[in-house]
Amino acid sequence: EIHPTHLSDEEEYKCRIVVWDNTGNSTEPSVPISKEARMMLKVNVPPEKVEITHLTSGRNLSLRCKSEGAKPPVDILWTKTSPDGVETEIPDLPKVREIEPAGELYDTAEQIFYQLQENEMIAKISCVVRHHNTNTTIYKNITFVSPAIQNALKVTMQRFAEPVLYSSIENQDGQDSKTGLVKISADPGFKVLYNTSVTLRASAPGVFPEPRYLWWVGDQTGIAGRELHIDNLEEDKSYYVLAENPLGRVVLGVPVHITTSDYSQWNDSSRDGDVIVDNTTGGLDTGAIIG
């Protein structure tokens, strides 16, 4: 038994069995009878490291996947996953394959060229490294996200940058990053009572690289950060936030309104500040109090 195996264990092994036979006559010398078997032991090594790199030029992608330290060399397959989670192999890819010895092991690299379709807002491309001799499969994927940044609220948007390239999210540990919208939330809401303090928060889940935020109102100096705290709001105001990363920037206008103290309306922050109005005049019902 050889445990654990090393590359130095790869060689030919021989097993010999010897039986001494004197054919039942004790007066004659024994005759050795031997048999032997030979086996060549091959040591297979799974890939030690897999990495994926890329270059982009508009919708044109150049991706390179490299596996290091395997024996024998690995096979590399490229797949694309649709937004609904269906994974398919990318057919007819122009590719360049390289296999380089690294001592007794092998490094395998494959480069492909791919063009994103105009209607692809998000594209997840995976490099699938398969080492059949050790039953090993390793996935490395990279997600390309359209630069289109939208907002869930009804706010004014202005763009100040030229058309920007696709951003990318490398996923080296198999966990997907979900891409979403730039969102603004308000606590306690976008419509508040007179003299109420409000906190506005900006987030951009899935946008890569992570944007920086700058808030301002009127001619005041901007305040950097995800949040803007407003003390004792006394009138309707529109606040602005700049969301910016190296690929582009957008300006979002966020109106905050003063409401009356009429208890027939209340904030529902989950509805982006829409106010639910109770037209009854007979007083509050239980649902309104819970609301």
Side-chain angles (χ1 to χ4, degrees):
E1 180 178 358
I2 304 174
H3 180 78
T5 52
H6 300 281
L7 282 173
S8 58
D9 298 320
E10 181 169 292
E11 54 185 326
E12 185 180 65
Y13 290 82
K14 180 172 63 176
C15 170
R16 170 187 278 181
I17 297 176
V18 179
V19 177
W20 295 86
D21 184 15
N22 62 5
T23 65
N25 190 342
S26 60
T27 61
E28 296 180 4
S30 298
V31 178
I33 300 175
S34 66
K35 289 188 177 182
E36 66 179 34
R38 297 173 181 267
M39 182 195 72
M40 182 64 192
L41 176 64
K42 291 186 177 294
V43 178
N44 298 317
V45 181
E48 177 183 3
K49 180 182 178 182
V50 176
E51 61 181 3
I52 184 172
T53 56
H54 72 283
L55 294 173
T56 61
S57 176
R59 296 183 178 275
N60 299 309
L61 309 178
S62 173
L63 297 99
R64 187 171 189 267
C65 184
K66 183 177 181 181
S67 165
E68 297 181 1
K71 181 178 177 293
V74 301
D75 294 327
I76 296 178
L77 178 71
W78 295 89
T79 65
K80 186 174 71 171
T81 303
S82 64
D84 55 359
V86 178
E87 182 182 20
T88 56
E89 182 177 357
I90 304 177
D92 303 326
L93 274 177
K95 61 180 66 176
V96 177
R97 182 178 174 88
E98 303 172 357
I99 300 177
E100 297 182 359
E104 297 182 81
L105 305 178
Y106 297 90
D107 294 344
T108 304
E110 192 167 277
Q111 184 172 4
I112 66 168
F113 305 94
Y114 181 75
Q115 185 176 46
L116 295 168
Q117 302 299 318
E118 291 189 4
N119 59 350
E120 286 186 284
M121 301 300 291
I122 178 171
K124 175 183 173 183
I125 299 178
S126 300
C127 163
V128 185
V129 174
R130 292 177 176 171
H131 195 248
H132 300 284
N133 298 71
T134 58
N135 196 28
T136 301
T137 302
I138 300 176
Y139 280 78
K140 293 295 178 182
N141 63 65
I142 184 167
T143 302
F144 294 91
V145 183
S146 169
I149 300 179
Q150 304 179 23
N151 195 285
L153 305 180
K154 296 178 181 179
V155 298
T156 303
M157 295 182 59
Q158 300 176 6
R159 294 191 178 275
F160 296 94
E162 296 297 324
V164 297
L165 303 178
Y166 273 63
S167 62
S168 59
I169 303 171
E170 290 194 27
N171 179 5
Q172 293 291 6
D173 50 15
Q175 298 299 320
D176 294 333
S177 299
K178 294 183 178 179
T179 301
L181 304 174
V182 175
K183 298 180 180 179
I184 306 295
S185 62
D187 184 14
F190 294 96
K191 295 184 179 181
V192 297
L193 298 178
Y194 177 82
N195 207 32
T196 298
S197 296
V198 181
T199 299
L200 301 178
R201 295 184 180 89
S203 63
V207 176
F208 179 87
E210 173 70 21
R212 296 179 301 172
Y213 303 97
L214 182 68
W215 296 86
W216 75 92
V217 57
D219 297 328
Q220 296 182 7
T221 303
I223 300 175
R226 290 176 175 270
E227 297 185 357
L228 175 68
H229 185 71
I230 307 165
D231 290 322
N232 309 116
L233 187 67
E234 297 179 348
E235 60 182 352
D236 294 351
K237 284 188 178 180
S238 289
Y239 296 84
Y240 297 90
V241 59
L242 168 68
E244 181 179 35
N245 69 8
L247 301 177
R249 54 181 176 171
V250 294
V251 173
L252 313 176
V254 184
V256 181
H257 300 285
I258 299 294
T259 68
T260 66
S261 58
D262 182 359
Y263 290 103
S264 64
Q265 57 186 0
W266 61 88
N267 280 302
D268 181 356
S269 59
S270 66
R271 297 176 178 264
D272 297 335
D274 293 341
V275 175
I276 302 175
V277 179
D278 186 353
N279 293 323
T280 60
T281 58
L284 293 175
D285 57 18
T286 304
I289 296 174
I290 295 175

mmCIF file of all heavy atoms in Angstrom, residues 240-285:
data_model
loop_
_atom_site.group_PDB
_atom_site.id
_atom_site.type_symbol
_atom_site.label_atom_id
_atom_site.label_comp_id
_atom_site.label_asym_id
_atom_site.label_seq_id
_atom_site.Cartn_x
_atom_site.Cartn_y
_atom_site.Cartn_z
ATOM 1 N N TYR A 240 -30.557 65.427 -4.564
ATOM 2 C CA TYR A 240 -29.890 64.804 -5.699
ATOM 3 C C TYR A 240 -28.722 63.954 -5.202
ATOM 4 O O TYR A 240 -28.054 64.295 -4.221
ATOM 5 C CB TYR A 240 -29.391 65.860 -6.690
ATOM 6 C CG TYR A 240 -30.512 66.658 -7.297
ATOM 7 C CD1 TYR A 240 -30.959 67.832 -6.688
ATOM 8 C CD2 TYR A 240 -31.148 66.234 -8.455
ATOM 9 C CE1 TYR A 240 -32.004 68.560 -7.218
ATOM 10 C CE2 TYR A 240 -32.198 66.957 -9.000
ATOM 11 C CZ TYR A 240 -32.624 68.119 -8.382
ATOM 12 O OH TYR A 240 -33.667 68.822 -8.902
ATOM 13 N N VAL A 241 -28.510 62.835 -5.899
ATOM 14 C CA VAL A 241 -27.387 61.964 -5.567
ATOM 15 C C VAL A 241 -26.683 61.579 -6.860
ATOM 16 O O VAL A 241 -27.317 61.237 -7.862
ATOM 17 C CB VAL A 241 -27.838 60.702 -4.786
ATOM 18 C CG1 VAL A 241 -28.844 59.887 -5.582
ATOM 19 C CG2 VAL A 241 -26.635 59.844 -4.406
ATOM 20 N N LEU A 242 -25.367 61.685 -6.836
ATOM 21 C CA LEU A 242 -24.522 61.256 -7.947
ATOM 22 C C LEU A 242 -23.986 59.863 -7.636
ATOM 23 O O LEU A 242 -23.356 59.657 -6.593
ATOM 24 C CB LEU A 242 -23.356 62.228 -8.138
ATOM 25 C CG LEU A 242 -22.225 61.771 -9.073
ATOM 26 C CD1 LEU A 242 -22.707 61.710 -10.506
ATOM 27 C CD2 LEU A 242 -21.024 62.683 -8.948
ATOM 28 N N ALA A 243 -24.282 58.885 -8.498
ATOM 29 C CA ALA A 243 -23.722 57.541 -8.371
ATOM 30 C C ALA A 243 -22.680 57.396 -9.471
ATOM 31 O O ALA A 243 -22.987 57.514 -10.658
ATOM 32 C CB ALA A 243 -24.806 56.476 -8.517
ATOM 33 N N GLU A 244 -21.434 57.129 -9.077
ATOM 34 C CA GLU A 244 -20.335 57.183 -10.042
ATOM 35 C C GLU A 244 -19.347 56.055 -9.794
ATOM 36 O O GLU A 244 -18.993 55.754 -8.648
ATOM 37 C CB GLU A 244 -19.618 58.534 -9.910
ATOM 38 C CG GLU A 244 -18.468 58.727 -10.883
ATOM 39 C CD GLU A 244 -17.822 60.093 -10.723
ATOM 40 O OE1 GLU A 244 -17.743 60.586 -9.574
ATOM 41 O OE2 GLU A 244 -17.406 60.663 -11.737
ATOM 42 N N ASN A 245 -18.920 55.397 -10.878
ATOM 43 C CA ASN A 245 -17.796 54.463 -10.825
ATOM 44 C C ASN A 245 -16.937 54.706 -12.055
ATOM 45 O O ASN A 245 -17.264 55.576 -12.877
ATOM 46 C CB ASN A 245 -18.284 53.013 -10.705
ATOM 47 C CG ASN A 245 -18.978 52.501 -11.951
ATOM 48 O OD1 ASN A 245 -18.978 53.160 -12.988
ATOM 49 N ND2 ASN A 245 -19.575 51.335 -11.861
ATOM 50 N N PRO A 246 -15.804 54.017 -12.202
ATOM 51 C CA PRO A 246 -14.910 54.333 -13.328
ATOM 52 C C PRO A 246 -15.541 54.163 -14.700
ATOM 53 O O PRO A 246 -15.006 54.660 -15.687
ATOM 54 C CB PRO A 246 -13.755 53.335 -13.138
ATOM 55 C CG PRO A 246 -13.736 53.058 -11.683
ATOM 56 C CD PRO A 246 -15.163 53.063 -11.257
ATOM 57 N N LEU A 247 -16.676 53.478 -14.794
ATOM 58 C CA LEU A 247 -17.291 53.217 -16.098
ATOM 59 C C LEU A 247 -18.330 54.252 -16.492
ATOM 60 O O LEU A 247 -18.741 54.321 -17.640
ATOM 61 C CB LEU A 247 -17.926 51.827 -16.090
ATOM 62 C CG LEU A 247 -16.963 50.676 -15.802
ATOM 63 C CD1 LEU A 247 -17.704 49.363 -15.753
ATOM 64 C CD2 LEU A 247 -15.883 50.626 -16.863
ATOM 65 N N GLY A 248 -18.812 55.052 -15.553
ATOM 66 C CA GLY A 248 -19.840 56.025 -15.871
ATOM 67 C C GLY A 248 -20.468 56.600 -14.624
ATOM 68 O O GLY A 248 -20.091 56.254 -13.494
ATOM 69 N N ARG A 249 -21.426 57.501 -14.804
ATOM 70 C CA ARG A 249 -22.094 58.113 -13.657
ATOM 71 C C ARG A 249 -23.503 58.534 -14.041
ATOM 72 O O ARG A 249 -23.789 58.805 -15.214
ATOM 73 C CB ARG A 249 -21.298 59.312 -13.148
ATOM 74 C CG ARG A 249 -20.987 60.360 -14.199
ATOM 75 C CD ARG A 249 -20.171 61.495 -13.610
ATOM 76 N NE ARG A 249 -19.795 62.461 -14.624
ATOM 77 C CZ ARG A 249 -19.227 63.631 -14.353
ATOM 78 N NH1 ARG A 249 -18.995 63.970 -13.101
ATOM 79 N NH2 ARG A 249 -18.915 64.459 -15.319
ATOM 80 N N VAL A 250 -24.374 58.589 -13.042
ATOM 81 C CA VAL A 250 -25.740 59.061 -13.231
ATOM 82 C C VAL A 250 -26.103 59.962 -12.074
ATOM 83 O O VAL A 250 -25.564 59.845 -10.968
ATOM 84 C CB VAL A 250 -26.751 57.886 -13.313
ATOM 85 C CG1 VAL A 250 -26.524 57.058 -14.552
ATOM 86 C CG2 VAL A 250 -26.684 57.042 -12.071
ATOM 87 N N VAL A 251 -27.025 60.887 -12.332
ATOM 88 C CA VAL A 251 -27.562 61.769 -11.297
ATOM 89 C C VAL A 251 -29.031 61.452 -11.131
ATOM 90 O O VAL A 251 -29.785 61.411 -12.115
ATOM 91 C CB VAL A 251 -27.366 63.251 -11.665
ATOM 92 C CG1 VAL A 251 -28.084 64.138 -10.655
ATOM 93 C CG2 VAL A 251 -25.890 63.591 -11.717
ATOM 94 N N LEU A 252 -29.448 61.216 -9.899
ATOM 95 C CA LEU A 252 -30.830 60.872 -9.600
ATOM 96 C C LEU A 252 -31.445 61.977 -8.751
ATOM 97 O O LEU A 252 -30.844 62.420 -7.776
ATOM 98 C CB LEU A 252 -30.901 59.544 -8.842
ATOM 99 C CG LEU A 252 -30.068 58.390 -9.420
ATOM 100 C CD1 LEU A 252 -30.163 57.186 -8.509
ATOM 101 C CD2 LEU A 252 -30.532 58.048 -10.806
ATOM 102 N N GLY A 253 -32.642 62.417 -9.135
ATOM 103 C CA GLY A 253 -33.375 63.384 -8.338
ATOM 104 C C GLY A 253 -34.389 62.683 -7.456
ATOM 105 O O GLY A 253 -35.148 61.844 -7.932
ATOM 106 N N VAL A 254 -34.416 63.023 -6.169
ATOM 107 C CA VAL A 254 -35.283 62.341 -5.207
ATOM 108 C C VAL A 254 -36.141 63.389 -4.495
ATOM 109 O O VAL A 254 -35.657 64.103 -3.619
ATOM 110 C CB VAL A 254 -34.453 61.549 -4.176
ATOM 111 C CG1 VAL A 254 -35.381 60.772 -3.262
ATOM 112 C CG2 VAL A 254 -33.467 60.634 -4.866
ATOM 113 N N PRO A 255 -37.420 63.510 -4.836
ATOM 114 C CA PRO A 255 -38.283 64.470 -4.149
ATOM 115 C C PRO A 255 -38.799 63.909 -2.818
ATOM 116 O O PRO A 255 -39.156 62.739 -2.722
ATOM 117 C CB PRO A 255 -39.429 64.673 -5.142
ATOM 118 C CG PRO A 255 -39.497 63.386 -5.907
ATOM 119 C CD PRO A 255 -38.089 62.850 -5.964
ATOM 120 N N VAL A 256 -38.814 64.770 -1.798
ATOM 121 C CA VAL A 256 -39.382 64.423 -0.496
ATOM 122 C C VAL A 256 -40.451 65.468 -0.187
ATOM 123 O O VAL A 256 -40.185 66.674 -0.256
ATOM 124 C CB VAL A 256 -38.315 64.405 0.612
ATOM 125 C CG1 VAL A 256 -38.939 64.007 1.943
ATOM 126 C CG2 VAL A 256 -37.183 63.448 0.243
ATOM 127 N N HIS A 257 -41.653 65.012 0.177
ATOM 128 C CA HIS A 257 -42.799 65.909 0.330
ATOM 129 C C HIS A 257 -43.296 65.946 1.774
ATOM 130 O O HIS A 257 -43.180 64.962 2.507
ATOM 131 C CB HIS A 257 -43.952 65.453 -0.587
ATOM 132 C CG HIS A 257 -43.594 65.449 -2.041
ATOM 133 N ND1 HIS A 257 -43.488 66.592 -2.793
ATOM 134 C CD2 HIS A 257 -43.292 64.412 -2.884
ATOM 135 C CE1 HIS A 257 -43.155 66.273 -4.030
ATOM 136 N NE2 HIS A 257 -43.030 64.957 -4.106
ATOM 137 N N ILE A 258 -43.866 67.106 2.119
ATOM 138 C CA ILE A 258 -44.547 67.273 3.407
ATOM 139 C C ILE A 258 -46.016 66.917 3.213
ATOM 140 O O ILE A 258 -46.654 67.366 2.256
ATOM 141 C CB ILE A 258 -44.417 68.722 3.918
ATOM 142 C CG1 ILE A 258 -42.945 69.071 4.135
ATOM 143 C CG2 ILE A 258 -45.213 68.905 5.204
ATOM 144 C CD1 ILE A 258 -42.292 68.282 5.230
ATOM 145 N N THR A 259 -46.559 66.098 4.117
ATOM 146 C CA THR A 259 -47.976 65.747 4.050
ATOM 147 C C THR A 259 -48.697 66.372 5.227
ATOM 148 O O THR A 259 -48.083 66.854 6.185
ATOM 149 C CB THR A 259 -48.163 64.223 4.102
ATOM 150 O OG1 THR A 259 -47.797 63.757 5.405
ATOM 151 C CG2 THR A 259 -47.299 63.545 3.065
ATOM 152 N N THR A 260 -50.025 66.367 5.162
ATOM 153 C CA THR A 260 -50.818 66.865 6.274
ATOM 154 C C THR A 260 -50.851 65.835 7.382
ATOM 155 O O THR A 260 -50.465 64.684 7.205
ATOM 156 C CB THR A 260 -52.249 67.155 5.812
ATOM 157 O OG1 THR A 260 -52.866 65.917 5.454
ATOM 158 C CG2 THR A 260 -52.248 68.094 4.612
ATOM 159 N N SER A 261 -51.336 66.201 8.549
ATOM 160 C CA SER A 261 -51.434 65.270 9.671
ATOM 161 C C SER A 261 -52.721 64.476 9.652
ATOM 162 O O SER A 261 -53.096 63.866 10.652
ATOM 163 C CB SER A 261 -51.330 66.046 10.996
ATOM 164 O OG SER A 261 -52.347 67.027 11.063
ATOM 165 N N ASP A 262 -53.423 64.525 8.511
ATOM 166 C CA ASP A 262 -54.663 63.766 8.383
ATOM 167 C C ASP A 262 -54.348 62.271 8.472
ATOM 168 O O ASP A 262 -53.595 61.734 7.686
ATOM 169 C CB ASP A 262 -55.304 64.083 7.023
ATOM 170 C CG ASP A 262 -56.630 63.364 6.842
ATOM 171 O OD1 ASP A 262 -57.024 62.615 7.769
ATOM 172 O OD2 ASP A 262 -57.257 63.561 5.795
ATOM 173 N N TYR A 263 -54.927 61.586 9.433
ATOM 174 C CA TYR A 263 -54.623 60.176 9.648
ATOM 175 C C TYR A 263 -55.249 59.263 8.607
ATOM 176 O O TYR A 263 -55.116 58.054 8.685
ATOM 177 C CB TYR A 263 -55.087 59.737 11.044
ATOM 178 C CG TYR A 263 -54.253 60.331 12.126
ATOM 179 C CD1 TYR A 263 -54.723 61.390 12.876
ATOM 180 C CD2 TYR A 263 -52.979 59.836 12.374
ATOM 181 C CE1 TYR A 263 -53.940 61.952 13.866
ATOM 182 C CE2 TYR A 263 -52.192 60.393 13.372
ATOM 183 C CZ TYR A 263 -52.678 61.453 14.127
ATOM 184 O OH TYR A 263 -51.922 61.996 15.104
ATOM 185 N N SER A 264 -55.911 59.857 7.627
ATOM 186 C CA SER A 264 -56.476 59.002 6.585
ATOM 187 C C SER A 264 -55.434 58.672 5.521
ATOM 188 O O SER A 264 -55.739 58.050 4.536
ATOM 189 C CB SER A 264 -57.675 59.700 5.919
ATOM 190 O OG SER A 264 -57.235 60.874 5.251
ATOM 191 N N GLN A 265 -54.171 59.118 5.703
ATOM 192 C CA GLN A 265 -53.109 58.743 4.786
ATOM 193 C C GLN A 265 -51.856 58.431 5.593
ATOM 194 O O GLN A 265 -51.651 58.948 6.670
ATOM 195 C CB GLN A 265 -52.835 59.851 3.768
ATOM 196 C CG GLN A 265 -52.483 61.205 4.385
ATOM 197 C CD GLN A 265 -52.373 62.264 3.301
ATOM 198 O OE1 GLN A 265 -52.551 61.979 2.146
ATOM 199 N NE2 GLN A 265 -52.058 63.477 3.702
ATOM 200 N N TRP A 266 -51.066 57.567 5.049
ATOM 201 C CA TRP A 266 -49.840 57.175 5.744
ATOM 202 C C TRP A 266 -48.826 56.703 4.711
ATOM 203 O O TRP A 266 -49.152 56.428 3.576
ATOM 204 C CB TRP A 266 -50.118 56.089 6.784
ATOM 205 C CG TRP A 266 -50.673 54.832 6.208
ATOM 206 C CD1 TRP A 266 -50.000 53.780 5.736
ATOM 207 C CD2 TRP A 266 -52.067 54.540 6.010
ATOM 208 N NE1 TRP A 266 -50.839 52.829 5.265
ATOM 209 C CE2 TRP A 266 -52.134 53.267 5.423
ATOM 210 C CE3 TRP A 266 -53.253 55.227 6.272
ATOM 211 C CZ2 TRP A 266 -53.324 52.666 5.107
ATOM 212 C CZ3 TRP A 266 -54.434 54.626 5.948
ATOM 213 C CH2 TRP A 266 -54.469 53.372 5.387
ATOM 214 N N ASN A 267 -47.565 56.647 5.157
ATOM 215 C CA ASN A 267 -46.484 56.233 4.250
ATOM 216 C C ASN A 267 -46.432 54.731 4.120
ATOM 217 O O ASN A 267 -46.712 54.006 5.064
ATOM 218 C CB ASN A 267 -45.126 56.719 4.775
ATOM 219 C CG ASN A 267 -44.898 58.172 4.441
ATOM 220 O OD1 ASN A 267 -44.922 58.568 3.284
ATOM 221 N ND2 ASN A 267 -44.690 58.975 5.480
ATOM 222 N N ASP A 268 -46.055 54.297 2.975
ATOM 223 C CA ASP A 268 -45.732 52.880 2.746
ATOM 224 C C ASP A 268 -44.426 52.873 1.971
ATOM 225 O O ASP A 268 -44.405 52.997 0.766
ATOM 226 C CB ASP A 268 -46.848 52.207 1.943
ATOM 227 C CG ASP A 268 -46.556 50.735 1.711
ATOM 228 O OD1 ASP A 268 -45.466 50.283 2.110
ATOM 229 O OD2 ASP A 268 -47.412 50.064 1.117
ATOM 230 N N SER A 269 -43.310 52.770 2.706
ATOM 231 C CA SER A 269 -42.007 52.904 2.068
ATOM 232 C C SER A 269 -41.748 51.794 1.066
ATOM 233 O O SER A 269 -40.929 51.938 0.182
ATOM 234 C CB SER A 269 -40.886 52.911 3.127
ATOM 235 O OG SER A 269 -40.921 51.719 3.887
ATOM 236 N N SER A 270 -42.457 50.672 1.195
ATOM 237 C CA SER A 270 -42.243 49.590 0.238
ATOM 238 C C SER A 270 -42.845 49.912 -1.118
ATOM 239 O O SER A 270 -42.580 49.232 -2.092
ATOM 240 C CB SER A 270 -42.862 48.290 0.775
ATOM 241 O OG SER A 270 -44.274 48.411 0.850
ATOM 242 N N ARG A 271 -43.660 50.963 -1.183
ATOM 243 C CA ARG A 271 -44.266 51.381 -2.451
ATOM 244 C C ARG A 271 -43.571 52.620 -3.004
ATOM 245 O O ARG A 271 -44.176 53.406 -3.706
ATOM 246 C CB ARG A 271 -45.755 51.652 -2.273
ATOM 247 C CG ARG A 271 -46.557 50.418 -1.870
ATOM 248 C CD ARG A 271 -48.001 50.797 -1.610
ATOM 249 N NE ARG A 271 -48.786 49.631 -1.271
ATOM 250 C CZ ARG A 271 -49.514 48.956 -2.134
ATOM 251 N NH1 ARG A 271 -49.526 49.320 -3.384
ATOM 252 N NH2 ARG A 271 -50.204 47.907 -1.765
ATOM 253 N N ASP A 272 -42.318 52.833 -2.619
ATOM 254 C CA ASP A 272 -41.538 53.968 -3.105
ATOM 255 C C ASP A 272 -42.208 55.297 -2.790
ATOM 256 O O ASP A 272 -42.204 56.217 -3.593
ATOM 257 C CB ASP A 272 -41.293 53.878 -4.609
ATOM 258 C CG ASP A 272 -40.479 52.651 -4.961
ATOM 259 O OD1 ASP A 272 -39.740 52.164 -4.102
ATOM 260 O OD2 ASP A 272 -40.604 52.198 -6.093
ATOM 261 N N GLY A 273 -42.793 55.412 -1.602
ATOM 262 C CA GLY A 273 -43.317 56.686 -1.165
ATOM 263 C C GLY A 273 -44.744 56.961 -1.558
ATOM 264 O O GLY A 273 -45.254 58.034 -1.260
ATOM 265 N N ASP A 274 -45.414 56.068 -2.254
ATOM 266 C CA ASP A 274 -46.813 56.296 -2.580
ATOM 267 C C ASP A 274 -47.635 56.364 -1.298
ATOM 268 O O ASP A 274 -47.416 55.606 -0.363
ATOM 269 C CB ASP A 274 -47.358 55.173 -3.468
ATOM 270 C CG ASP A 274 -46.705 55.192 -4.836
ATOM 271 O OD1 ASP A 274 -46.145 56.255 -5.180
ATOM 272 O OD2 ASP A 274 -46.744 54.167 -5.532
ATOM 273 N N VAL A 275 -48.592 57.268 -1.252
ATOM 274 C CA VAL A 275 -49.435 57.432 -0.075
ATOM 275 C C VAL A 275 -50.797 56.797 -0.328
ATOM 276 O O VAL A 275 -51.405 57.017 -1.366
ATOM 277 C CB VAL A 275 -49.602 58.934 0.265
ATOM 278 C CG1 VAL A 275 -50.575 59.104 1.406
ATOM 279 C CG2 VAL A 275 -48.246 59.525 0.624
ATOM 280 N N ILE A 276 -51.254 56.010 0.628
ATOM 281 C CA ILE A 276 -52.566 55.381 0.532
ATOM 282 C C ILE A 276 -53.568 56.284 1.242
ATOM 283 O O ILE A 276 -53.395 56.611 2.412
ATOM 284 C CB ILE A 276 -52.559 53.996 1.181
ATOM 285 C CG1 ILE A 276 -51.502 53.123 0.494
ATOM 286 C CG2 ILE A 276 -53.927 53.354 1.099
ATOM 287 C CD1 ILE A 276 -51.339 51.780 1.143
ATOM 288 N N VAL A 277 -54.582 56.698 0.541
ATOM 289 C CA VAL A 277 -55.558 57.645 1.098
ATOM 290 C C VAL A 277 -56.847 56.906 1.406
ATOM 291 O O VAL A 277 -57.385 56.195 0.563
ATOM 292 C CB VAL A 277 -55.830 58.791 0.098
ATOM 293 C CG1 VAL A 277 -56.851 59.741 0.666
ATOM 294 C CG2 VAL A 277 -54.525 59.529 -0.209
ATOM 295 N N ASP A 278 -57.336 57.080 2.618
ATOM 296 C CA ASP A 278 -58.608 56.489 3.023
ATOM 297 C C ASP A 278 -59.666 57.567 2.884
ATOM 298 O O ASP A 278 -59.619 58.587 3.570
ATOM 299 C CB ASP A 278 -58.497 56.011 4.483
ATOM 300 C CG ASP A 278 -59.728 55.263 4.923
ATOM 301 O OD1 ASP A 278 -60.696 55.241 4.150
ATOM 302 O OD2 ASP A 278 -59.700 54.708 6.037
ATOM 303 N N ASN A 279 -60.613 57.394 1.997
ATOM 304 C CA ASN A 279 -61.615 58.416 1.721
ATOM 305 C C ASN A 279 -62.766 58.414 2.705
ATOM 306 O O ASN A 279 -63.676 59.219 2.589
ATOM 307 C CB ASN A 279 -62.159 58.230 0.298
ATOM 308 C CG ASN A 279 -61.094 58.521 -0.741
ATOM 309 O OD1 ASN A 279 -60.293 59.430 -0.554
ATOM 310 N ND2 ASN A 279 -61.101 57.742 -1.831
ATOM 311 N N THR A 280 -62.776 57.518 3.679
ATOM 312 C CA THR A 280 -63.878 57.482 4.625
ATOM 313 C C THR A 280 -63.780 58.670 5.571
ATOM 314 O O THR A 280 -62.704 59.165 5.885
ATOM 315 C CB THR A 280 -63.842 56.189 5.429
ATOM 316 O OG1 THR A 280 -62.609 56.109 6.134
ATOM 317 C CG2 THR A 280 -63.943 54.984 4.502
ATOM 318 N N THR A 281 -64.880 59.149 6.055
ATOM 319 C CA THR A 281 -64.915 60.321 6.958
ATOM 320 C C THR A 281 -65.377 59.921 8.352
ATOM 321 O O THR A 281 -65.484 60.774 9.216
ATOM 322 C CB THR A 281 -65.875 61.376 6.400
ATOM 323 O OG1 THR A 281 -67.181 60.784 6.251
ATOM 324 C CG2 THR A 281 -65.384 61.877 5.056
ATOM 325 N N GLY A 282 -65.618 58.662 8.580
ATOM 326 C CA GLY A 282 -66.141 58.245 9.860
ATOM 327 C C GLY A 282 -65.082 57.892 10.874
ATOM 328 O O GLY A 282 -65.387 57.320 11.896
ATOM 329 N N GLY A 283 -63.802 58.245 10.596
ATOM 330 C CA GLY A 283 -62.736 57.930 11.546
ATOM 331 C C GLY A 283 -61.907 56.767 11.058
ATOM 332 O O GLY A 283 -62.120 56.216 9.976
ATOM 333 N N LEU A 284 -60.909 56.387 11.866
ATOM 334 C CA LEU A 284 -59.966 55.352 11.481
ATOM 335 C C LEU A 284 -60.560 53.975 11.742
ATOM 336 O O LEU A 284 -61.246 53.769 12.726
ATOM 337 C CB LEU A 284 -58.683 55.492 12.295
ATOM 338 C CG LEU A 284 -57.849 56.754 12.019
ATOM 339 C CD1 LEU A 284 -56.688 56.782 12.987
ATOM 340 C CD2 LEU A 284 -57.346 56.727 10.601
ATOM 341 N N ASP A 285 -60.242 53.055 10.840
ATOM 342 C CA ASP A 285 -60.604 51.683 11.136
ATOM 343 C C ASP A 285 -59.336 50.960 11.628
ATOM 344 O O ASP A 285 -58.248 51.525 11.648
ATOM 345 C CB ASP A 285 -61.198 50.998 9.906
ATOM 346 C CG ASP A 285 -60.257 51.020 8.707
ATOM 347 O OD1 ASP A 285 -59.050 51.238 8.919
ATOM 348 O OD2 ASP A 285 -60.732 50.798 7.587
#
